[in-house]
């Protein structure tokens, strides 16, 4: 259990330092909105996975309050989603699809390794490959919602120049 707790602390440290060093101030508002939207979407998705007994989290930060692992589902995934959104390529469709596939594959690989090597995640009636679909749905819904919110860039430039 000590390794798992140290891993949770490491994830928190990595997430905070990543935000500090890899989120430019000019895109901080986009990152924050992605972070919050991904938390909302991720919370709903994870609650459904836990309630339908598809995934379990044996080691949790708040075992009496929630059946979810707060570190990975409320911090790690939203940070990854925010970084994905603010650093996404806008060149062409193939580059965008490749970038998306790399992010989803990396997150699925990390989640699968956590399930295999630690006691943080346990797939009860679930397979790690289905997590790629879950991550894809989450990232695409976050992308659509945040893009919709920032659809009129002139409004934000006008407010920034007035403030």
């Amino acid at each position: 259990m000590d390794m798992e707790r140290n891993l949770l602390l490491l994830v928190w440290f990595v997430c905070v330092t990543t935000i500090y060093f890899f989120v430019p101030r000019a895109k901080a508002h986009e990152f924050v909105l992605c972070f919050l939207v991904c938390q909302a979407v991720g919370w709903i998705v994870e609650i459904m996975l836990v309630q339908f007994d598809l995934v379990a989290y044996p080691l949790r930060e708040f075992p009496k309050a929630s059946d979810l692992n707060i570190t990975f589902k409320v911090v790690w995934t939203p940070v990854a989603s925010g970084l994905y959104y603010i650093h996404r390529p806008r060149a062409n469709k193939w580059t965008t699809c490749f970038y998306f596939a790399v992010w989803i594959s990396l997150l699925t690989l990390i989640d699968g390794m956590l399930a295999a090597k630690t006691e943080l995640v346990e797939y009860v009636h679930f397979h790690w490959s289905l997590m790629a679909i879950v991550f894809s749905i989450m990232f695409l819904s976050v992308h659509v919602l945040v893009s919709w919110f920032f659809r009129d860039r002139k409004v934000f430039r006008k407010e920034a120049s007035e403030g």
Side-chain angles (χ1 to χ4, degrees), residues 117-155:
K117 305 287 185 189
T118 68
E119 294 179 16
L120 294 172
V121 180
E122 179 185 338
Y123 293 140
V124 181
H125 301 289
F126 205 64
H127 193 262
W128 64 267
S129 60
L130 294 174
M131 197 50 119
I133 297 170
V134 170
F135 281 132
S136 297
I137 291 169
M138 285 174 54
F139 272 47
L140 289 173
S141 61
V142 168
H143 182 78
V144 166
L145 289 168
V146 173
S147 296
W148 170 80
F149 187 82
F150 289 116
R151 69 187 178 280
D152 191 7
R153 295 277 181 186
K154 294 182 286 186
V155 172

Side-chain angles (χ1 to χ4, degrees), residues 79-139:
V79 167
S81 176
L83 290 174
Y84 164 79
Y85 185 82
I86 64 172
H87 294 295
R88 72 194 184 285
R90 300 172 191 192
N92 61 27
K93 298 288 183 194
W94 291 108
T95 307
T96 305
C97 288
F98 179 74
Y99 182 75
F100 180 78
V102 166
W103 272 91
I104 297 303
S105 300
L106 182 66
L107 289 174
T108 304
L109 178 69
I110 291 169
D111 201 63
M113 287 176 51
L114 286 172
K117 305 287 185 189
T118 68
E119 294 179 16
L120 294 172
V121 180
E122 179 185 338
Y123 293 140
V124 181
H125 301 289
F126 205 64
H127 193 262
W128 64 267
S129 60
L130 294 174
M131 197 50 119
I133 297 170
V134 170
F135 281 132
S136 297
I137 291 169
M138 285 174 54
F139 272 47

Side-chain angles (χ1 to χ4, degrees), residues 7-50:
L7 185 61
L8 292 176
L9 289 173
L10 177 67
V11 168
W12 276 91
F13 176 75
V14 166
C15 286
V16 169
T17 55
T18 300
I19 291 169
Y20 184 77
F21 288 112
F22 292 107
V23 177
R25 290 191 73 128
K27 294 189 175 196
H29 60 288
E30 292 179 23
F31 178 84
V32 169
L33 186 64
C34 275
F35 186 87
L36 294 174
V37 169
C38 188
Q39 278 185 337
V41 171
W43 192 272
I44 293 168
V45 169
E46 287 300 320
I47 284 179
M48 288 182 1
L49 290 176
V50 169

